[in-house]
Amino acid sequence: MAAPSVKPGQRFTVPDWDTNARLISADAESQRSASHQIRQEARALRSETNNQAKWDEHDNQTRLAERISSVNRWKETLDKCLADIDEEINALAKVKEAAERALQAKNLSLDVAMECLTLRDGRRAIDVVRDPAEEELHREVKVIDKAKRELQQRVHEAFEQLCLLQEARQQLSFDHRGKMEALEIDRTCLSLSVNSPNISYKVDPTRIPNGSTAVDEWEQNSQYNKDHAEEEMKASTKLREAIVLSIAQTNNELEAQRVATEFALRKRIRDMERAYDELKWQEQNTLEEISEMEEDIRRLEEDLRRKMQDLKVAHSRLETRSYRPNVELCRDQVQYGLTDEVHQLEGSIRALKLKLAEAQDALDALYRQLHRVQTDMACKAHSLVLDHKCMDSRRKLVVPAEKFVPQVDSFNRTTNRVPSPPRAGQLELG
């Protein structure tokens, strides 16, 4: 048997029921109107946000493209600047190497000049003279020292400028690498779309990263790097020109001094040869005079011996006649004649002895003079040998050292004109 239904606790009236139906209908109408309004607003919002998103994306695409173009222009500028600075570094390095070679070459010139001065210090006696050749050699040493100091300074300046260029290049290279990375990143960003597989939400993507710079600072940095590199390249170009000028100037000065030194040495050799020839002529004449003097002394001695024999005869006659007997011992004309003869012979003997002594003194003086002449000849010959060695040594300045072989004769002299050695009978001096 079915249970009886539960009766509601409250019963509404028909007007309440009608009112409720009208309220539900009105609420439904109101909700539909509100829904319609929301749908219209949503459509408008969707259209607006879609348009805004498209324009924002278009604007940002344009900005990215412009940014990529701007960065690429700077990259190309930095590419050219890097190529220019690399070329300048190579050019300055070559000029620096040329200056170092020129500096190294000055060592040979200095060694030759010092060798010549050392050789000429071996001169002896009166030939140790401060002649024009020695003055030119000392002047050559000063010119070489000055050239070496100038070239060394230029090499030092080139080294410092190379360091500055390398530093500027590092700044350019660092900026260039940054531009390359920025281009790669911006091109990657430009290629992103809603269909890209590697897009995702990021944590606080609108934050300002540490180290961020303004656009003006970014451009000023690149402009500074470019300007700084160009300034260093200009300074390097001026320095290269100065180094080339210094090399040419020092070479010209040294060449002019070398010519002057060798001219002075050749003139000194000619003067020395003339002096040696004059001494040789004096030696020959002195030897002839000695020969004649010795012959005259021999004749004087012979005459003196004859006069002494004649005196003995006169003495013997006078002494023998002194033994005449008695009145025969008279002082006759014979006695006077013999006495006069004795006096005359004694006077002649005294005169001959005096003249013989003078002749001996003159002969001794001639031998002393001959010794002096031959001593001076030996000094001149030794000086000529040294000066010819100097000229041989200086050939290394115009002939490669490995091809330089000095040619000397049996007397250790050069093949140039050489004084003849003393003849037999002349004094030999060491």
Side-chain angles (χ1 to χ4, degrees):
M1 183 173 181
S5 60
V6 179
K7 295 181 178 180
Q10 182 181 2
R11 290 186 179 273
F12 295 97
T13 63
V14 172
D16 290 337
W17 180 84
D18 290 336
T19 299
N20 181 63
R22 286 194 298 272
L23 285 174
I24 291 173
S25 177
D27 288 341
E29 185 69 23
S30 175
Q31 288 298 323
R32 285 194 303 274
S33 176
S35 175
H36 178 75
Q37 181 68 28
I38 290 174
R39 282 190 301 105
Q40 293 301 320
E41 291 177 355
R43 290 173 181 175
L45 181 60
R46 284 176 53 226
S47 176
E48 180 182 357
T49 55
N50 286 336
N51 291 335
Q52 184 67 42
K54 288 179 181 179
W55 279 110
D56 287 346
E57 183 182 6
H58 177 270
D59 290 342
N60 285 323
Q61 289 271 36
T62 303
R63 292 188 186 102
L64 275 172
E66 291 176 352
R67 180 61 177 174
I68 289 171
S69 177
S70 177
V71 174
N72 191 58
R73 282 195 303 272
W74 268 113
K75 183 190 79 69
E76 291 174 353
T77 300
L78 294 178
D79 282 337
K80 183 179 183 303
C81 200
L82 279 170
D84 291 342
I85 201 170
D86 286 338
E87 184 178 353
E88 183 60 33
I89 287 173
N90 292 333
L92 183 57
K94 290 179 180 178
V95 171
K96 175 176 173 288
E97 291 175 0
E100 290 172 344
R101 289 194 299 271
L103 179 61
Q104 184 67 27
K106 299 300 179 290
N107 291 332
L108 175 60
S109 300
L110 183 60
D111 291 342
V112 169
M114 294 304 298
E115 181 182 356
C116 291
L117 286 172
T118 302
L119 284 171
R120 300 188 97 244
D121 284 342
R123 294 173 294 173
R124 298 195 292 254
I126 193 62
D127 284 354
V128 184
V129 60
R130 186 66 178 266
D131 53 13
E134 185 168 350
E135 291 178 357
E136 292 295 339
L137 281 169
H138 282 290
R139 191 175 294 113
E140 185 176 23
V141 170
K142 292 180 181 178
V143 169
I144 295 172
D145 285 337
K146 177 186 174 184
K148 288 187 67 176
R149 288 194 300 270
E150 183 175 352
L151 289 174
Q152 185 63 56
Q153 177 65 26
R154 292 302 187 186
V155 169
H156 179 69
E157 291 174 358
F159 175 77
E160 290 184 342
Q161 187 61 41
L162 280 173
C163 292
L164 293 175
L165 286 172
Q166 291 289 353
E167 181 181 354
R169 190 191 185 287
Q170 286 181 351
Q171 292 175 349
L172 285 174
S173 180
F174 180 78
D175 195 6
H176 184 269
R177 286 196 300 271
K179 298 288 187 293
M180 293 292 292
E181 293 177 7
L183 279 173
E184 184 178 356
I185 290 172
D186 283 346
R187 284 168 178 164
T188 300
C189 290
L190 185 62
S191 66
L192 289 177
S193 67
V194 294
N195 298 320
S196 298
N198 54 345
I199 59 174
S200 63
Y201 289 108
K202 309 297 180 183
V203 178
D204 193 13
T206 59
R207 71 187 184 281
I208 299 177
N210 294 330
S212 297
T213 58
V215 175
D216 291 341
E217 294 177 356
W218 171 81
E219 189 157 2
Q220 287 172 3
N221 177 70
S222 297
Q223 188 67 44
Y224 170 79
N225 291 335
K226 175 178 175 291
D227 293 343
H228 178 61
E230 289 177 347
E231 288 176 1
E232 294 300 338
M233 284 189 285
K234 288 180 181 178
S236 177
T237 301
K238 291 181 179 179
L239 180 58
R240 282 195 294 111
E241 294 173 353
I243 292 175
V244 171
L245 181 61
S246 294
I247 293 174
Q249 184 175 356
T250 55
N251 287 341
N252 291 337
E253 290 176 355
L254 186 55
E255 179 63 19
Q257 184 58 49
R258 183 186 68 82
V259 171
T261 301
E262 292 181 1
F263 176 81
L265 276 171
R266 291 190 183 96
K267 184 177 183 301
R268 185 59 179 170
I269 289 173
R270 289 194 298 269
D271 293 343
M272 193 71 67
E273 288 174 344
R274 282 195 296 268
Y276 185 88
D277 290 341
E278 175 65 22
L279 287 171
K280 191 170 184 62
W281 183 82
Q282 293 291 344
E283 179 195 34
Q284 182 65 32
N285 290 343
T286 303
L287 285 171
E288 292 175 359
E289 183 64 26
I290 286 174
S291 178
E292 293 179 1
M293 180 60 74
E294 288 176 343
E295 180 63 23
D296 287 348
I297 288 174
R298 184 184 61 78
R299 292 174 180 175
L300 280 172
E301 289 174 344
E302 289 179 357
D303 287 346
L304 182 59
R305 284 193 297 272
R306 282 197 299 269
K307 296 298 183 292
M308 292 180 70
Q309 291 296 328
D310 291 341
L311 183 60
K312 288 179 182 180
V313 172
H315 278 191
S316 298
R317 287 175 176 175
L318 283 172
E319 183 64 26
T320 302
R321 294 188 86 245
S322 67
Y323 293 111
R324 289 176 295 171
N326 299 321
V327 74
E328 296 299 329
L329 188 62
C330 68
R331 299 179 65 188
D332 52 14
Q333 291 299 319
V334 176
Q335 184 71 24
Y336 286 116
L338 288 172
T339 301
D340 289 341
E341 184 183 5
V342 168
H343 291 160
Q344 187 66 35
L345 287 171
E346 287 177 348
S348 296
I349 288 171
R350 283 194 301 271
L352 287 171
K353 285 184 177 180
L354 179 61
K355 188 56 66 178
L356 181 60
E358 291 178 359
Q360 289 288 356
D361 291 340
L363 182 61
D364 291 341
L366 285 172
Y367 271 114
R368 286 194 299 271
Q369 184 61 29
L370 179 62
H371 179 274
R372 183 180 178 186
V373 168
Q374 291 182 334
T375 300
D376 202 18
M377 285 178 62
C379 291
K380 297 292 185 291
H382 181 66
S383 298
L384 277 171
V385 170
L386 295 179
D387 283 344
H388 281 299
K389 284 183 178 180
C390 288
M391 292 303 297
D392 281 342
S393 178
R394 297 186 68 81
R395 287 178 57 204
K396 291 184 288 188
L397 299 178
V398 292
V399 179
E402 63 273 9
K403 296 182 180 179
F404 174 70
V405 179
Q407 299 177 354
V408 297
D409 60 15
S410 58
F411 292 97
N412 195 26
R413 296 180 180 175
T414 64
T415 54
N416 294 332
R417 182 183 180 278
V418 180
S420 59
R423 298 182 307 174
Q426 298 180 11
L427 294 179
E428 298 291 341
L429 300 177

